[in-house]
Amino acid sequence: MNYPSMKQRIAAVKHYYKCNEQPTMAARRLAQEFDINPPQGRNIRLIVEKFEATGSVATAKKSGCPKTATNVAKAEEAIRRLEQSPQKSTRRLSAELEVSQSSVIRILHQKNWKPYIPRLLHALHDGDDDRRLQFCEEFLAKLDEEDTMLDNIWWSDEACFKLNGTINRHNCVYWAVENPRVTVEKEVNLPGVTVWAAISPLGIIGPFFFEGSVTVEIYLDMLQTLFWPRVQAQDCYFQQDGAPPHYGRHVRQWLDENFSGKWIGRRGPIEWPARSPDLTPPDFFLWGLMKDLVYREKPRTIQELKAQITAKFEEIDIELCKCVCHSVPARLQLCIDHEGGHFENWFAQDISHQTCPGKEAKAKQAHPTVDSHEDWKYHQVQLEAQTLETNKA
């Protein structure tokens, strides 16, 4: 039974006394009168006890904290405490100040303080920025020379999915007047099923599930049996990162034979810079979208997880793939503008949104990928503050 109305509570008291103070029988008569499910007898007894104690069945008003609690002194104290501990929650702050949480939020809004949420970024090592800068400059020049190149690149990668795979950053905020761009390093370990896929303006190939550890032999067999038959008739490029299975001698020999001068990767004809997931569509778009869609269904077994991944891949349309792949040059230019360093943390929106009008909802990167780097281990990530729009209600 939902919380009873005033009429139902009054009737409950009457039926209780008419039934010789038998709460179960009173509950049945109450259910018949109002055509509801019978409440429990103890709930009838609680209503009667309240009536006998107060002479009323009305709900007492909650005391709460008056709005006058948000005076100048309280506001100054709230700001002082946040300056000392910017990651303090509004719930904790309200308890310390002995005012309501809504009062704390009102103070912060009046003082133009905003909550910033962390953004996951890949770690860069010494020298990475120079190699990233060189790649971006050379690749943009190559795109200018070959007009159709961007439409003929298959970008590939692997990602690890787990059953309870979510990256929860909602409760981790940093309060400040301006974006402090604070960073925190965190170890991430996400065991689960490993998935491979490739994306291009022509669509998606995959997913392919690896059983157990990925070796050079297993990876090469996947390329030969799954990927190559789909692209054999195309005059295309192939991109992969520098993970150990990708760097195997037999893999590189096979790529040289089948993508002569047209594969991008570690020690390939076009050298791929290490730790650059922000430049490749599977990392900056595909895996984030897939994890967002898959984890909404909350799969409970590996079989359900694989089924959800396969189903969600089939929902991605070619037009979206084209928009995302065409956003790569803009990302290359931004990487150049930031001298090879991080650039995503300086923008509230993913660049792909700007090149894909009307696709914002689908392209939203809810869970930035941090689990598919070159050493196949889970690296440290940097948590960069990103503006969270304040509640407009």
Side-chain angles (χ1 to χ4, degrees), residues 57-112:
V57 294
T59 303
K61 293 184 178 180
K62 297 181 180 180
S63 59
C65 297
K67 282 192 174 182
T68 53
T70 57
N71 52 39
V72 176
K74 290 289 186 181
E76 293 178 350
E77 179 64 15
I79 298 302
R80 186 187 68 81
R81 288 175 183 262
L82 274 184
E83 288 176 343
Q84 294 178 346
S85 303
Q87 292 180 289
K88 189 188 298 291
S89 68
T90 54
R91 186 186 299 275
R92 175 70 63 85
L93 187 58
S94 67
E96 294 178 357
L97 296 175
E98 297 182 347
V99 299
S100 68
Q101 188 176 12
S102 60
S103 297
V104 170
I105 294 175
R106 185 163 52 250
I107 291 173
L108 297 177
H109 286 178
Q110 291 173 351
K111 299 296 183 180
N112 292 324

Side-chain angles (χ1 to χ4, degrees), residues 232-301:
Q232 187 173 3
Q234 303 175 15
D235 182 20
C236 59
Y237 286 80
F238 174 69
Q239 181 275 338
Q240 62 177 13
D241 61 23
H246 303 175
Y247 184 63
R249 179 169 57 89
H250 296 300
V251 173
R252 287 183 283 129
Q253 288 178 350
W254 183 85
L255 291 174
D256 286 334
E257 294 172 1
N258 295 280
F259 293 91
S260 180
K262 288 192 172 184
W263 66 275
I264 308 164
R266 185 179 175 189
R267 299 298 183 268
I270 303 175
E271 182 74 24
W272 178 257
R275 289 167 291 278
S276 297
D278 51 350
L279 301 178
T280 176
D283 273 311
F284 71 71
F285 163 74
L286 181 60
W287 298 131
L289 175 65
M290 282 296 100
K291 290 186 176 182
D292 186 29
L293 296 176
V294 169
Y295 293 144
R296 288 178 186 175
E297 307 298 331
K298 297 180 175 58
R300 298 182 179 180
T301 66

Side-chain angles (χ1 to χ4, degrees), residues 48-186:
V48 174
E49 290 177 354
K50 181 176 183 179
F51 173 75
E52 293 177 345
T54 64
S56 172
V57 294
T59 303
K61 293 184 178 180
K62 297 181 180 180
S63 59
C65 297
K67 282 192 174 182
T68 53
T70 57
N71 52 39
V72 176
K74 290 289 186 181
E76 293 178 350
E77 179 64 15
I79 298 302
R80 186 187 68 81
R81 288 175 183 262
L82 274 184
E83 288 176 343
Q84 294 178 346
S85 303
Q87 292 180 289
K88 189 188 298 291
S89 68
T90 54
R91 186 186 299 275
R92 175 70 63 85
L93 187 58
S94 67
E96 294 178 357
L97 296 175
E98 297 182 347
V99 299
S100 68
Q101 188 176 12
S102 60
S103 297
V104 170
I105 294 175
R106 185 163 52 250
I107 291 173
L108 297 177
H109 286 178
Q110 291 173 351
K111 299 296 183 180
N112 292 324
W113 280 59
K114 306 176 185 68
Y116 295 89
I117 60 174
R119 183 180 181 90
L120 294 173
L121 297 179
H122 57 284
L124 292 178
H125 296 178
D126 292 340
D128 281 350
D129 51 351
D130 293 333
R131 287 184 283 271
R132 283 161 53 87
L133 179 60
Q134 180 181 356
F135 169 80
C136 292
E137 292 175 341
E138 294 178 354
F139 201 78
L140 279 179
K142 191 170 182 64
L143 290 177
D144 290 337
E145 296 173 1
E146 190 175 344
D147 295 338
T148 61
M149 179 179 177
L150 189 61
D151 290 324
N152 295 290
I153 302 176
W154 284 97
W155 308 85
S156 72
D157 194 28
E158 300 86 356
C160 184
F161 288 69
K162 68 173 187 176
L163 293 179
N164 59 339
T166 58
I167 300 176
N168 183 6
R169 292 171 286 135
H170 177 73
N171 294 325
C172 181
V173 298
Y174 194 106
W175 285 91
V177 176
E178 297 180 356
N179 193 334
R181 306 199 182 279
V182 63
T183 61
V184 180
E185 292 188 343
K186 180 181 180 181

